[in-house]
Amino acid sequence: MGGAGYVLSPIYRGLTIQFKVFLQMSGMTLGGMIEADRRLRTFEAGIRREKRLKRDERAWKTFEEEFSATEEVPCSSANIGPGFDVIGLALSIWLELQVHISDDPSPVAPLNCQVTYSGVGEAEVSLDPERNLITRTALYVLRCHGQHDFPRTTRLHITNAIPLGRGLGSSGAAVVAGVLLADAVGNLQLPRPRVLDYCLMIERHPDNVAAALYGGFVGTYLADLSAEATSRKEIPLSEVLPEPAGGLDTGLRPPSPPVGISHYRKFRWAPEIKAVAIIPDFEVSTARARGVLPPSYGRQDVVFNLQRVALLVPALGQSPPDADMIYEAMQDRVHQPYRQTLIPGLADILGSLTPKSHPGLLGICLSGAGPTILALATHDFDAIARVIVEKFAQEGITCDWRLLEPAHDGATVERS
């Protein structure tokens, strides 16, 4: 029922036949019915608007007064030798976020977010909230929950000590920070397993992400998802903000992650064990480091790694540590041999340092995709580091080195 080209409201179309007959018997004309439908549409819009306002009130009720929070997310080292894409270790270099939301009514920046940055990569990290990895990740999570922008007025200061592109999980830490930022400013109250799901929609490396989020020494696996979910390894950030950044916004809600993308388990870590990180002064991108790996592996190499990772996990939790077992259990045939072409001196470093030649050393490996070298040790840290720094120097490469401890608490958010 309706005039030419006029489509009645779904609510009107849903009325019972008896009520429609009543309207006709009451003498209401077609024009009157259309006018009544228009009024009904206005009423519907008012209800929707009121629901939206109530939803926004619930979402932003935290920020009726000024709000501040500090986030800290640790770096991480993935693989630890044979545990390729399986195990990770959170370590004591930190990415810190300080967020402040005020009731200042004037917008300060696009998307209501002003970004400042200090620390490693200061000259190359974008301060545009449409391009910065942390804020773009936060926007993805906010928009999955119907919140288009940051709350007015959001000021975010990033302090980063994690080396970029060195195999210490800098991008994983940024993604974790972004999801936790959205959770805080959006008042989403996401449980940690759901935070992990959102992280893995942006970066599908559960060893780094789970270590940064939960802290300590962790093992992870990806769930056996549906074919559709598996085929889309991650959600491109262009779906959060269509390219070019700042261009036409579709207004569509981006796809939320499936529940339970990954699962993790935290393992024991012997308190005597510390990590010496030798950080060369050049970058190796994850894409390039994965590009040199073979498409498939022989059974012998797979079994070799499975045997060692099965013993490495309990050995690193045993106190006092068994140096000979840990050293042998940290050997690898899946990724390190193929990445020697990208990291000058790697073969010599991995093959020449042993617990017998360097007391205190437990094992040595490439950290993540490299080029950072991770040496696990109980003492004589300086001597071990100097030998590795010298071997890189023979290849014309300068290095920094740091003595790190496990970051057992993982990512933290403290509100003030």
Side-chain angles (χ1 to χ4, degrees):
M1 181 179 293
Y6 188 85
V7 180
L8 290 176
S9 160
I11 290 182
Y12 183 86
R13 294 199 305 270
L15 295 176
T16 63
I17 294 176
Q18 291 89 339
F19 189 61
K20 292 178 182 177
V21 170
F22 168 76
L23 290 176
Q24 293 171 336
M25 291 179 64
S26 66
M28 181 177 284
T29 64
L30 178 60
M33 296 179 74
I34 291 175
E35 177 60 27
D37 183 68
R38 286 192 175 115
R39 292 183 180 181
L40 182 60
R41 286 175 182 271
T42 302
F43 178 71
E44 293 174 46
I47 291 176
R48 288 195 300 270
R49 184 166 54 252
E50 186 172 346
K51 287 182 177 179
R52 185 171 64 251
L53 289 173
K54 287 182 177 179
R55 180 202 68 201
D56 291 344
E57 182 182 359
R58 288 193 301 269
W60 309 120
K61 65 181 179 180
T62 305
F63 311 118
E64 291 173 357
E65 299 179 353
E66 291 193 357
F67 166 89
S68 296
T70 300
E71 285 185 34
E72 289 187 335
V73 183
C75 77
S76 58
S77 179
N79 307 328
I80 318 298
F84 180 67
D85 279 0
V86 176
I87 57 178
L89 174 65
L91 291 167
S92 53
I93 306 177
W94 302 90
L95 170 66
E96 180 182 292
L97 272 60
Q98 293 178 322
V99 58
H100 180 75
I101 299 172
S102 69
D103 56 3
D104 182 355
S106 59
V108 295
L111 304 168
N112 297 330
C113 185
Q114 182 185 63
V115 182
T116 55
Y117 184 100
S118 61
V120 178
E122 189 169 348
E124 55 193 282
V125 173
S126 175
L127 303 183
D128 185 344
E130 296 177 316
R131 297 183 182 276
N132 183 278
L133 177 58
I134 294 172
T135 49
R136 283 170 70 90
T137 298
L139 284 168
Y140 163 62
V141 180
L142 287 172
R143 292 179 179 181
C144 284
H145 292 83
Q147 300 178 29
H148 185 272
D149 298 337
F150 289 91
R152 183 184 296 180
T153 298
T154 301
R155 289 180 172 84
L156 175 67
H157 182 69
I158 303 167
T159 304
N160 179 42
I162 304 174
L164 306 180
R166 302 297 204 277
L168 286 168
S170 58
S171 61
V175 168
V176 171
V179 177
L180 292 176
L181 174 63
D183 185 49
V185 304
N187 195 27
L188 305 180
Q189 300 179 23
L190 296 173
R192 283 292 166 111
R194 195 62 180 147
V195 170
L196 182 59
D197 289 337
Y198 279 101
C199 290
L200 292 173
M201 289 296 273
I202 304 297
E203 174 153 322
R204 193 57 62 92
H205 298 124
D207 42 6
N208 281 118
V209 169
L213 179 61
Y214 291 106
F217 182 37
V218 301
T220 62
Y221 68 82
L222 289 172
D224 189 12
L225 303 174
S226 67
E228 180 183 2
T230 301
S231 66
R232 302 196 65 191
K233 293 186 177 180
E234 55 194 43
I235 295 297
L237 285 173
S238 60
E239 293 190 15
V240 183
L241 287 169
E243 296 292 351
L248 181 64
D249 193 333
T250 63
L252 298 177
R253 180 174 294 194
S256 295
V259 175
I261 293 178
S262 176
H263 298 275
Y264 86 102
R265 182 65 64 191
K266 210 165 183 177
F267 304 128
R268 287 176 51 84
W269 184 267
E272 301 95 329
I273 304 176
K274 292 180 173 52
V276 180
I278 296 88
I279 308 167
D281 191 21
F282 69 95
E283 296 184 18
V284 173
S285 72
T286 301
R288 188 179 174 205
R290 287 185 176 267
V292 300
L293 301 181
S296 60
Y297 294 91
R299 179 184 294 181
Q300 282 187 326
D301 289 343
V302 172
V303 171
F304 180 94
N305 271 47
L306 287 173
Q307 289 172 336
R308 278 149 185 80
V309 77
L311 293 182
L312 177 63
V313 169
L316 289 173
Q318 178 182 330
S319 182
D322 183 332
D324 291 334
M325 174 171 284
I326 291 173
Y327 181 82
E328 291 299 332
M330 285 181 66
Q331 303 306 303
D332 162 72
R333 290 184 182 175
V334 167
H335 67 105
Q336 292 179 161
Y338 303 97
R339 289 170 168 167
Q340 293 175 6
T341 57
L342 304 178
I343 304 169
L346 177 61
D348 182 30
I349 291 169
L350 296 181
S352 62
L353 277 77
T354 70
K356 290 182 173 59
S357 66
H358 295 81
L361 179 70
L362 300 176
I364 189 167
C365 65
L366 195 61
S367 179
T372 294
I373 301 295
L374 200 71
L376 302 183
T378 56
H379 57 277
D380 284 348
F381 311 112
D382 185 77
I384 293 167
R386 283 202 309 269
V387 171
I388 300 173
V389 168
E390 177 59 29
K391 288 186 176 296
F392 272 122
Q394 293 171 7
E395 303 288 339
I397 298 169
T398 59
C399 297
D400 181 23
W401 75 272
R402 303 187 195 182
L403 180 60
L404 306 176
E405 298 192 14
H408 289 291
D409 292 336
T412 60
V413 181
E414 183 175 336
R415 304 190 183 201
S416 57

